[in-house]
Amino acid sequence: MSDRARPLPPSGTGAAIGYVLANLTLIVAVIGLGISGLIWGRGTRQIAEAHGSSGRSYSRHWGIRVFSSCVVLSAATAWLAVDRTAPAVLFGQAALRTVGAAALIGGVLHSRRRVLRLIAHVDRVVAGHYSAVAGQDPAWPLSPTPTSDDWNASQWDPDVLRDIEARRHRDRT
């Protein structure tokens, strides 16, 4: 029998299975990261657009670019290395991936703070109060003293107005 026809020794089989499982884990992690990024980007865009701003500027941030660059550089380091298992190569890859992950987290937190600032600004301009969610001092969202505008039915929600009218008609009968 030739060397190619012999089965792998048991220790080689375990290493091969571990290698396959590690690659499958990496693939699942990359797919999960992509899906969660799409969901996060869509939600961020919807929140920003609901508050009157362009959603793209909030969902695309510097962290995504740095993370992508670090992952590509990490793969290029392994591809170009003569000995892929050398400690310097492994440490370099780990450092690049750590910097990329930190940049991704930092970019998400930066975008989150920008969205909260947008929400607080819209709350102050439209409703005339500060939002406790955005870290501002909580204030009464409505004035405790009723004004004539509070009794103006044309400013109410049409569904609420229909509900009030339905209750009035139900109470009369």
Side-chain angles (χ1 to χ4, degrees), residues 37-52:
L38 290 173
I39 292 170
W40 174 84
R42 181 175 182 228
T44 302
R45 209 171 20 255
Q46 287 175 344
I47 290 172
E49 289 171 356
H51 287 86

Side-chain angles (χ1 to χ4, degrees), residues 66-142:
V66 173
F67 174 75
S68 301
S69 300
C70 287
V71 168
V72 168
L73 284 173
S74 173
T77 301
W79 187 63
L80 294 173
V82 175
D83 182 14
R84 293 182 183 173
T85 60
V89 173
L90 295 176
F91 179 75
Q93 285 183 304
L96 282 170
R97 291 175 186 164
T98 303
V99 167
L104 188 61
I105 292 169
V108 168
L109 292 176
H110 180 248
S111 290
R112 179 181 181 269
R113 179 165 301 279
R114 287 182 61 213
V115 167
L116 289 177
R117 258 189 271 140
L118 172 69
I119 293 170
H121 176 71
V122 169
D123 284 349
R124 274 185 265 137
V125 170
V126 174
H129 72 280
Y130 292 93
S131 173
V133 174
Q136 303 291 330
D137 292 331
W140 289 100
L142 300 173

Side-chain angles (χ1 to χ4, degrees), residues 54-68:
S54 170
R56 288 214 180 277
S57 65
Y58 290 92
S59 63
R60 293 184 179 178
H61 55 81
W62 55 269
I64 294 173
R65 291 182 193 103
V66 173
F67 174 75
S68 301

